[in-house]
Amino acid sequence: MLLGKHINKYYLKYLWLYLIGIVGLIAVDWFQLLIPEYLGRIVDLFNGSEIDTAVLSEIVTGVVVVAFVLFLGRVAWRFSIFAASQKTEAGLRKTMFAKSERLPLSYYGKTKVGTVMAWFTTDLETIEEYLGWGTIMLFDAGFLTVLVIIKMINLDWVLSLVVFVPLVLIVIWGALVEKFQAKKWNERQEEFDKLYDYSRESFTGIRVIKAFICETRRLHECAKIVRKNKDANLSYARMTVVFDCIISFIIALITAIILGIGGYFVYYTVIGEPVVLFSHSVNMSAGGLITFLGYFETMIWPMMALGQIVSMRSRAKASLKRVSRFLDCEEVISPTNVLKDVKGKVEFKNFTFTYPDCETPALSDITLTIDAGQTVGVVGKVGSGKSTLVNSLLKLYPTNSDSVFIDGTDITACDTDSVRRAVSCAPQDSFLFSETLSGNIGFARDDCPQEAIEQAADFACLSGDISGFEGGYETVCGERGVTLSGGQKQRVAIARAYLCNAPILILDDSVSAVDIKTEETILANIASKRKGKTTIVVASRVSTVSRFDKIIVMNDGKVEAFASPSELMIVSPTYQKMVRLQALENEIKEANNAR
């Protein structure tokens, strides 16, 4: 059995299916052992004397009954045990998916996507295989072995004793190999993780690879990873083959022993001089030898299954350990306090934040207040902490208590879903799904009306572009929005965020790829359609935020200044420098256009 706290509950849940399957297996095992007996009787029946037709008819009838029972029993265990294993796999996958949604963003910063996908594919499939075929082999081999041993001993215990000695070797060999197979399987899975992750990254970044003519280099790098993956698979396969070959050799050796010693016993029984061993006279007919050999051939399957069970269990055990580590990951428990009737006031009080596995704080001692209904800009050089500041409102990473407030309520004491309903965000990375424009814009709302989608597109100045597409709002964006330009992807993200109608809207550098005219239209829409609601815009151009109520100037993870644009020209050196540089950039553009 494969035991663990994450899988034990499924044995209880689907116990009735396993019981039906086990009863079917036992019935099949019991009746199939009648076949060697019938074969032995038939051989003895044709001993040169007149054939007893009544006995022959009885044997034929018995064979028909056995065939019918075997059919019903095999149908029963196939449907029930495989159904239980697949239901368990589905339950585990559902639990894992729910777990993946609850884990903080920091977890995925440390864990590669390829590794996570391997848990959901090969590892779960390996566990399901053992719960299905492994359970069948375990009970079938165990029960059948016991029955065969009893019948062989009843037939002739001396010959049985000779056969059982090599069987002990199989058990010992299997116990020794299991640990090594589990280690090799784990190494194989780790190499598969690397291959999966590299392949996914290459397909996702195929445009960059082609643009920089790096196909050959990436191919060579992939070949190295594939070679390591191949070596790990071959190493595991070699061990499995050696194990199977040794078992096959032992089985062939036992068969030779039975035929040799059994034939010796039959010969001396026929000539009337039965062999005496351990004060036991061995009387064995040709039919008895055939029956004994039939019992042993029936026992070959349990012996072969033993090797497969050891291999299968070692793989499943390693896979379950990987899945369990994922399910045992520490979660950030969301409080039950729900954030209600949000007006949009945002406060930071001595807020300091450090990313996981980093020593240097990304933000240090941030203290500021954004009043409800204000439109606020955030500017600063690259890496100054602009995105980190606004993302802290979304509870993407754990933060210290009593440092970030919405409407005077500490967000760490609030339910995560309620906080995210109050704060809508168009992130810096304008991620789009491989579906229609309507589906991407209305992503956050179930059964979103088309009218609301079109209003959101108008807000993001996207309606004109959509009308130019042949499919209109039903145009498929492609993977990560590959069919759209950078500016169009940004505006789809803005429309998606606006459609939520949240009290607080964050646009994280969401107009950097649009032209000046489009940017001015979007900013005008913010002023008119977001009036009375809090809007925070992270920008790389000071012109974007120059008409806002206030601007936060970030510098090396700290707030250098927080004031109106006119006041910043007096108190903020960073803002002054950005204004001068942008003015100089505009002059150069005008000079170039005049030529």
Side-chain angles (χ1 to χ4, degrees):
M1 298 293 288
L2 190 65
L3 301 176
K5 67 178 182 179
H6 297 295
I7 202 170
N8 292 343
K9 61 182 179 181
Y10 294 106
Y11 290 126
L12 296 175
K13 185 175 182 180
Y14 303 117
L15 180 62
W16 64 279
L17 285 172
Y18 281 113
L19 288 176
I20 292 174
I22 291 170
V23 169
L25 280 172
I26 292 174
V28 168
D29 292 342
W30 183 276
F31 277 86
Q32 78 178 67
L33 287 180
L34 296 175
I35 295 176
E37 295 179 11
Y38 289 143
L39 287 174
R41 290 176 62 185
I42 289 175
V43 170
D44 289 337
L45 195 64
F46 291 91
N47 57 2
S49 58
E50 186 177 350
I51 298 174
D52 189 336
T53 55
V55 174
L56 183 61
S57 176
E58 178 189 343
I59 293 173
V60 172
T61 303
V63 170
V64 172
V65 172
V66 167
F68 182 72
V69 173
L70 293 183
F71 170 76
L72 291 180
R74 283 172 178 159
V75 169
W77 66 250
R78 283 178 184 273
F79 274 95
S80 56
I81 293 180
F82 287 145
S85 66
Q86 289 167 6
K87 287 177 182 292
T88 301
E89 180 192 10
L92 272 174
R93 180 173 277 109
K94 185 177 180 181
T95 302
M96 289 171 65
F97 186 79
K99 177 75 174 186
S100 68
E101 291 184 312
R102 295 193 301 269
L103 287 173
L105 191 63
S106 57
Y107 178 82
Y108 297 101
K110 297 181 293 184
T111 308
K112 291 186 176 182
V113 175
T115 301
V116 177
M117 293 304 297
W119 296 335
F120 278 86
T121 51
T122 56
D123 283 314
L124 278 181
E125 289 167 4
T126 302
I127 293 170
E128 187 275 333
E129 180 188 36
Y130 180 75
L131 293 177
W133 280 112
T135 301
I136 292 167
M137 291 177 183
L138 185 64
F139 282 95
D140 191 29
F143 188 77
L144 191 59
T145 299
V146 172
L147 282 180
V148 169
I149 289 174
I150 293 173
K151 287 185 175 290
M152 290 172 75
I153 291 175
N154 288 336
L155 190 61
D156 191 279
W157 67 268
V158 174
L159 187 57
S160 300
L161 187 64
V162 175
V163 171
F164 295 156
V165 172
L167 293 180
V168 177
L169 297 178
I170 295 180
V171 176
I172 296 173
W173 175 249
L176 292 174
V177 168
E178 181 181 10
K179 291 185 178 180
F180 292 103
Q181 281 193 317
K183 181 181 177 182
K184 291 292 184 182
W185 177 258
N186 197 52
E187 291 173 358
R188 174 192 177 278
Q189 288 298 90
E190 288 176 356
E191 292 301 326
F192 177 78
D193 292 350
K194 296 175 184 177
L195 177 61
Y196 192 103
D197 196 66
Y198 190 88
S199 302
R200 181 199 61 80
E201 190 177 60
S202 296
F203 284 118
T204 303
I206 189 67
R207 289 191 296 172
V208 177
I209 293 172
K210 287 182 174 293
F212 288 92
I213 321 173
C214 293
E215 295 94 334
T216 303
R217 178 166 61 83
R218 295 287 292 187
L219 186 63
H220 288 315
E221 291 173 355
C222 184
K224 292 179 182 178
I225 297 174
V226 169
R227 195 176 300 114
K228 290 181 179 179
N229 187 269
K230 181 195 74 173
D231 292 341
N233 276 278
L234 285 176
S235 179
Y236 177 80
R238 287 191 191 100
M239 175 170 283
T240 303
V241 169
V242 169
F243 180 58
D244 290 343
C245 287
I246 291 176
I247 289 181
S248 298
F249 174 76
I250 295 174
I251 290 172
L253 179 64
I254 296 174
T255 303
I257 291 172
I258 292 174
L259 290 173
I261 298 178
Y264 178 79
F265 290 161
V266 170
Y267 172 75
Y268 280 97
T269 299
V270 170
I271 64 175
E273 300 177 6
V275 179
V276 178
L277 290 174
F278 307 110
S279 303
H280 169 68
S281 178
V282 180
N283 290 288
M284 180 171 287
S285 65
L289 178 60
I290 294 298
T291 300
F292 192 92
L293 190 61
Y295 287 150
F296 174 72
E297 289 178 349
T298 303
M299 201 174 178
I300 289 178
W301 151 245
M303 286 190 290
M304 295 298 293
L306 176 62
Q308 295 180 37
I309 289 171
V310 170
S311 174
M312 202 179 293
R313 186 177 184 277
S314 64
R315 298 198 307 266
K317 191 175 179 181
S319 292
L320 181 61
K321 188 178 294 184
R322 285 156 55 90
V323 169
S324 296
R325 278 200 301 266
F326 171 69
L327 292 175
D328 289 334
C329 287
E330 186 177 353
E331 299 178 22
V332 178
I333 301 175
S334 182
T336 56
N337 185 27
V338 178
L339 198 61
K340 297 180 180 179
D341 301 323
V342 177
K343 304 299 181 184
K345 183 180 179 181
V346 176
E347 295 176 86
F348 293 92
K349 294 182 179 179
N350 304 117
F351 176 53
T352 297
F353 175 77
T354 304
Y355 283 103
D357 299 327
C358 291
E359 296 180 359
T360 305
L363 297 174
S364 299
D365 198 24
I366 305 293
T367 299
L368 59 89
T369 300
I370 300 173
D371 293 328
Q374 280 190 326
T375 301
V376 175
V378 184
V379 297
K381 64 181 181 180
V382 175
S384 60
K386 303 186 297 294
S387 296
T388 303
L389 179 68
V390 295
N391 285 337
S392 63
L393 294 173
L394 294 166
K395 294 186 69 174
L396 297 177
Y397 291 93
T399 57
N400 295 329
S401 58
D402 297 324
S403 57
V404 183
F405 300 84
I406 294 178
D407 285 359
T409 303
D410 183 4
I411 65 170
T412 61
C414 295
D415 171 61
T416 301
D417 289 348
S418 67
V419 172
R420 291 175 183 169
R421 277 192 290 269
V423 184
S424 180
C425 179
Q428 194 172 25
D429 177 19
S430 304
F431 183 90
L432 301 185
F433 296 92
S434 302
E435 55 177 296
T436 63
L437 283 166
S438 290
N440 272 290
I441 295 173
F443 176 76
R445 291 176 56 179
D446 296 331
D447 301 322
C448 185
Q450 185 63 27
E451 182 182 357
I453 292 174
E454 293 176 4
Q455 289 174 357
D458 287 338
F459 174 85
C461 202
L462 189 63
S463 300
D465 296 70
I466 295 176
S467 62
F469 296 143
E470 184 176 348
Y473 284 89
E474 297 306 308
T475 301
V476 178
C477 298
E479 186 176 6
R480 300 179 66 93
V482 68
T483 61
L484 305 180
S485 68
Q488 289 169 337
K489 286 194 287 187
Q490 282 189 337
R491 283 178 284 159
V492 171
I494 293 173
R496 180 168 57 196
Y498 171 77
L499 189 60
C500 294
N501 196 30
I504 302 170
L505 173 65
I506 297 172
L507 303 181
D508 188 1
D509 206 15
S510 299
V511 292
S512 59
V514 303
D515 58 79
I516 299 298
K517 184 178 179 181
T518 303
E519 178 186 297
E520 290 177 350
T521 304
I522 294 173
L523 295 177
N525 288 338
I526 290 175
S528 60
K529 298 181 180 181
R530 290 282 304 174
K531 190 173 183 179
K533 295 180 180 179
T534 304
T535 304
I536 304 173
V537 179
V538 177
S540 56
R541 297 190 295 256
V542 291
S543 60
T544 303
V545 297
S546 59
R547 292 192 292 271
F548 287 179
D549 298 323
K550 285 187 176 182
I551 299 173
I552 302 170
V553 181
M554 300 296 298
N555 188 10
D556 293 331
K558 297 180 180 180
V559 175
E560 181 179 287
F562 178 41
S564 64
S566 59
E567 292 172 330
L568 289 177
M569 290 300 296
I570 301 172
V571 300
S572 175
T574 300
Y575 186 78
Q576 295 167 12
K577 183 178 179 180
M578 292 180 69
V579 171
R580 287 197 303 270
L581 288 174
Q582 186 167 330
L584 180 60
E585 182 182 349
N586 292 336
E587 289 178 10
I588 293 173
K589 285 182 179 179
E590 290 176 2
N592 289 334
N593 292 334
R595 291 178 181 176

